[in-house]
Amino acid sequence: MEKEKIRQMVKICQLYYLEGYNQQQLAKKFGISRPQISRIISSAKEEGIVEIKVNNPFGDESIIEQELVDKFELNDAVIVDTANMTKDQSFGSVAKAGAIFLESVIKKGDEVGVMAGKAIQQVVQLINGQAKKNVHVIPLVGGLGIQGANWHANSNVIQLAENLQCDYYVLNAPVIVSSPEMKLQLIQEEDIKKVLDRYQTLKIAVVGIGEITEEATFFKTMNLNQKELTDIKDAGAVCSIGKTFLNSKGEEVAKELSDRMIGISTEHLKEVDQVIAVAAGEKKIDAIVASLLGQWVDVLVTDVQTGKHILQYST
């Protein structure tokens, strides 16, 4: 390239990158067209005259995010550094990251499904954005147990809809009934069927990832007897996402129980454009890995330590 052309290229790039000139101003200053200015700036990058460096204060997090995306073919991952935080502070930071991500992806006209759970409760509480037009929020499972709780799916739905100033539906049905026949009867009720039918048009689903233990909130509130919990474990289940139970390979198991449960079906969950999972903690590692191996999740929001364990565990 001729020396004078290089000199002009350098001047244009200095004004553009260092002095804040826009391309229209540069075109007027140098007496050439704006498309020519654009080509000169692009050429400067190709010739090595301009090198763009991003000083990323989230280096470790970004590396883990990319490794998770590559390894599990995710759409995205959000990793939060929670070093030196208490358990509650760490949980809150992950939930905040989930809230920011969720708010950024909800668009006009979206149908958003919301799961039960304490993690999801924190996420929806931390949403504090502008009103979303023509958005509908829908519970992904029925009610848990007979005692009220502010982290049930319906409660989470109402909280999110209030924060987004949008419409919502509630699912007036229990998450689990006595038999598949009872379930079939209930889901034919008009008000219940209207909610379940909306699962076919979901764009986003916000879910927690549950471990299969007697201590897990999900199982405590379902009032399962010891035999039912034993049957789930004997089937190889290590993970629950709503009414779907997964083994360590991410394959669906324990359908005898899920066939008695009311909520989004396995087929509809798989068809959702973007399933966003918010989960962290050592006790959830097996469950998170299973959900990722089975490709049930499109976006994972978690902390650095959990992310590292997932990558090591699944190697």
Side-chain angles (χ1 to χ4, degrees):
M1 187 182 295
E2 295 177 10
K3 188 174 181 179
E4 289 308 312
K5 285 188 176 181
I6 295 174
R7 190 188 306 278
Q8 183 191 54
M9 182 180 285
V10 170
K11 282 185 178 181
I12 287 171
C13 289
Q14 284 177 325
L15 291 170
Y16 183 70
Y17 287 108
L18 303 180
E19 301 297 331
Y21 278 60
N22 62 38
Q23 292 186 16
Q24 194 61 48
Q25 290 170 323
L26 289 170
K28 184 176 180 180
K29 182 177 179 66
F30 287 90
I32 55 181
S33 69
R34 194 200 61 75
Q36 283 178 292
I37 291 291
S38 180
R39 285 194 291 272
I40 289 170
I41 291 170
S42 295
S43 296
K45 294 178 190 175
E46 295 168 4
E47 296 292 334
I49 291 169
V50 171
E51 294 181 355
I52 297 175
K53 179 184 177 183
V54 177
N55 292 314
N56 183 2
F58 306 104
D60 289 346
E61 296 98 303
S62 296
I63 291 169
I64 297 169
E65 286 171 353
Q66 193 57 54
E67 288 181 353
L68 287 169
V69 167
D70 292 342
K71 188 174 187 67
F72 297 105
E73 299 180 13
L74 297 172
N75 292 347
D76 206 349
V78 180
I79 302 296
V80 183
D81 185 2
T82 59
N84 303 317
M85 291 186 186
T86 66
K87 184 178 179 180
D88 287 346
Q89 288 172 335
S90 175
F91 196 62
S93 292
V94 172
K96 182 62 177 177
I100 292 170
F101 184 88
L102 174 61
E103 193 171 347
S104 73
V105 297
I106 297 176
K107 303 184 298 297
K108 180 180 178 181
D110 278 348
E111 303 265 327
V112 182
V114 177
M115 197 64 78
K118 294 179 179 178
I120 306 307
Q121 176 200 12
Q122 281 212 21
V123 170
V124 300
Q125 284 179 337
L126 290 166
I127 293 278
N128 187 27
Q130 296 179 337
K132 300 284 185 177
K133 293 183 178 180
N134 198 29
V135 168
H136 298 94
V137 187
I138 303 147
L140 295 177
V141 290
L144 289 157
I146 59 174
Q147 291 184 321
N150 56 5
W151 49 264
H152 285 188
N154 283 339
S155 298
N156 288 344
V157 160
I158 293 168
Q159 178 72 71
L160 178 58
E162 287 179 350
N163 288 349
L164 295 178
Q165 300 172 52
C166 66
D167 294 330
Y168 65 90
Y169 292 78
V170 293
L171 181 54
N172 290 316
V175 71
I176 186 166
V177 294
S178 57
S179 68
E181 293 75 24
M182 175 63 73
K183 172 187 170 179
L184 286 174
Q185 279 188 317
L186 276 176
I187 63 176
Q188 294 307 313
E189 292 292 327
E190 185 176 358
D191 287 347
I192 296 173
K193 188 174 185 300
K194 282 181 180 178
V195 177
L196 301 183
D197 285 347
R198 298 196 81 92
Y199 293 154
Q200 299 177 49
T201 54
L202 281 181
K203 292 294 183 183
I204 298 168
V206 191
V207 305
I209 297 175
E211 70 276 17
I212 308 297
T213 67
E214 293 180 28
E215 302 308 311
T217 305
F218 186 74
F219 288 100
K220 281 183 177 179
T221 53
M222 280 176 60
N223 295 321
L224 295 179
N225 60 44
Q226 188 59 50
K227 181 182 183 306
E228 288 171 321
L229 185 56
T230 300
D231 287 346
I232 295 170
K233 289 180 177 179
D234 287 347
V238 299
C239 168
S240 67
I241 302 178
K243 63 185 281 298
T244 299
F245 301 96
L246 308 175
N247 64 16
S248 60
K249 297 178 182 179
E251 301 164 335
E252 187 180 11
V253 294
K255 283 184 63 63
E256 296 82 3
L257 181 63
S258 58
D259 284 345
R260 291 165 44 203
M261 297 175 71
I262 297 174
I264 189 167
S265 69
T266 300
E267 295 74 23
H268 286 145
L269 185 61
K270 278 283 192 179
E271 290 171 1
V272 176
D273 290 351
Q274 193 148 228
V275 177
I276 303 167
V278 182
E282 188 175 352
K283 65 182 181 180
K284 288 187 178 284
I285 302 291
D286 289 355
I288 296 171
V289 170
S291 71
L292 296 176
L293 289 174
Q295 296 188 315
W296 295 89
V297 170
D298 300 298
V299 179
L300 175 66
V301 183
T302 190
D303 60 34
V304 167
Q305 280 303 111
T306 305
K308 287 181 177 178
H309 282 307
I310 291 167
L311 291 168
Q312 292 168 359
Y313 185 98
S314 56
T315 300

